[in-house]
Amino acid sequence: MTTTLARTTPLLAIAALALTLGGCASPADRTAMTPQNLTISKHYPHSLRVQTSGGAETGAMDSSNVSDPDLKAAIEDAVIQSKLFKTIVQGSNGDYELSVRLSSLSKPLFGATFTVDMETAWTLTKTSDHSVALRKSVKSSGTATMGDAFAGVTRLRMALEAATRNNIEQGLKAVAELNL
Amino acid sequence: MQKFLKLLALLGLVASLTTGCAVNRATGSVDPSANLSALKTMYVKKIADDDNTYTLIADKLRSKGVTVTSGSEAAPGNVDAVVTYIDKWMWDITMYMLELTITIRDPKTDFPLATGNSFHTSLTRLSPKEMVNEVVDNIYKGAK
């Protein structure tokens, strides 16, 4: 009994360590997905409602994902910080509605340097007449190396957050090129 | 003790190189502005190094009543939509399709009108044909 215990204890310790290091994934963080220091010279005097779809929650056995509420919050934060629109509204009473659909997400399974590729579909609609002001596919990628994080799950999350940040930045810059 | 350290190093390596545990999932989404039933002609754009997936996609779309052509060149100008895809393969005793993403796009703007994705790990692996069927069916399930 003592011998069995002595043999299994190291194995259990190793398993616990592996779970701690690799573990299972955590979702992309909304703050880390928000582009920082995004400079946009245009400031529309309108209110905006943001809607997101196509994202997924990060399950206990899954790799990191971007959830719809987190993507929405990251876009809203970026709009507020850049002052692209005057206000963000919830519900259906905004001057414009921005719909961002996560269309595809390509994540690596194994490796040292992780690159995540992302594509989103951005649609900006004027609420009063339902006219479409912008309809655009936005493609981005994000990379994280061993220098960023040792644990693979953390590195993947960082690459995912970088891809999302890049995507939001490109999308908002495309909106800023319009004349609303 | 040496065995223990070897095992520890191996587990550390695995933890550092892999991205997490694996699951199965199947999703489909259609842009609110898209009307899939109005898309009668499609072009499946074959990716390099693909032997058969593009023909499976074309055949499945034909079963939905769509007139489909395919090739690796740029899409002809007279189609209602262009279909692109990404297939990921994995080896576990034999090769199997781990993940498939199919996107139906506006031929003029490249805008993704609809997307479907299926991800099945080894124990619940599906044949390429079954993967294609699952993805396309999920896309049309979400259509108007």
Side-chain angles (χ1 to χ4, degrees):
Chain A
M1 180 69 183
T2 312
T3 315
T4 312
L5 195 65
R7 279 183 186 162
T8 51
T9 303
L11 288 174
L12 286 172
I14 290 167
L17 181 71
L19 279 173
T20 309
L21 279 176
C24 282
S26 55
D29 179 69
R30 62 177 67 183
T31 312
M33 291 192 294
T34 307
Q36 302 298 319
N37 307 317
L38 174 62
T39 313
I40 289 175
S41 56
K42 204 168 275 181
H43 307 297
Y44 299 121
H46 309 294
S47 59
L48 179 74
R49 178 193 180 205
V50 179
Q51 272 193 309
T52 52
S53 60
E57 297 293 334
T58 302
M61 300 293 284
D62 204 352
S63 59
S64 290
N65 282 317
V66 179
S67 73
D68 290 335
D70 287 344
L71 180 60
K72 180 179 187 297
I75 294 169
E76 288 176 344
D77 287 349
V79 169
I80 291 165
Q81 284 174 24
S82 64
K83 300 184 176 72
L84 180 60
F85 283 83
K86 195 178 175 187
T87 51
I88 294 285
V89 295
Q90 310 296 333
S92 56
N93 54 351
D95 297 325
Y96 284 86
E97 183 176 304
L98 176 65
S99 164
V100 178
R101 184 167 51 87
L102 184 49
S103 169
S104 76
L105 193 57
S106 180
K107 296 179 282 189
L109 294 166
F110 190 83
T113 298
F114 290 157
T115 298
V116 169
D117 295 311
M118 175 184 278
E119 182 177 10
T120 53
W122 287 58
T123 308
L124 183 69
T125 312
K126 191 174 182 181
T127 313
S128 59
D129 59 3
H130 301 290
S131 60
V132 176
L134 175 83
R135 200 160 176 258
K136 187 179 172 63
S137 157
V138 178
K139 292 174 183 169
S140 63
S141 63
T143 299
T145 64
M146 281 284 216
D148 296 315
F150 177 72
V153 285
T154 309
R155 211 156 59 245
L156 179 72
R157 197 196 69 225
M158 292 173 82
L160 181 61
E161 288 164 348
T164 313
R165 257 193 328 268
N166 184 349
N167 199 284
I168 293 172
E169 189 169 335
Q170 283 187 58
L172 293 182
K173 281 182 174 169
V175 173
E177 285 172 12
L178 304 169
N179 286 307
L180 303 178
Chain B
M1 187 61 185
Q2 204 174 356
K3 271 186 186 173
F4 173 79
L5 288 173
K6 274 184 188 170
L7 196 56
L8 191 69
L10 185 67
L11 283 170
L13 188 70
V14 169
S16 73
L17 294 179
T18 55
T19 60
C21 311
V23 289
N24 299 319
R25 62 169 177 267
T27 59
S29 67
V30 181
D31 193 81
S33 67
N35 181 5
L36 289 192
S37 59
L39 305 176
K40 298 293 183 194
T41 57
M42 293 188 192
Y43 179 78
V44 180
K45 184 128 188 345
K46 177 183 179 289
I47 55 174
D49 304 325
D50 174 27
D51 294 329
N52 197 37
T53 307
Y54 74 104
T55 55
L56 294 173
I57 296 170
D59 289 344
K60 179 63 183 175
L61 288 169
R62 284 185 192 108
S63 77
K64 298 282 182 190
V66 180
T67 302
V68 186
T69 54
S70 59
S72 49
E73 304 81 29
N78 58 349
V79 291
D80 297 329
V82 174
V83 179
T84 60
Y85 61 97
I86 303 166
D87 55 348
K88 277 189 187 167
W89 294 74
M90 186 61 84
W91 186 88
D92 185 4
I93 303 185
T94 59
M95 290 298 287
Y96 68 97
M97 192 186 280
L98 175 73
E99 185 173 18
L100 177 68
T101 305
I102 298 176
T103 306
I104 299 176
R105 298 175 183 278
D106 184 317
K108 293 182 183 74
T109 62
D110 206 36
F111 186 81
L113 300 168
T115 308
N117 170 274
S118 281
F119 184 97
H120 288 274
T121 48
S122 182
L123 287 176
T124 58
R125 67 174 73 179
L126 298 177
S127 70
K129 188 176 181 181
E130 288 168 326
M131 288 286 277
V132 167
N133 288 348
E134 186 173 76
V135 175
V136 174
D137 285 339
N138 275 334
I139 289 174
Y140 276 82
K141 218 180 277 175
K144 284 179 192 173

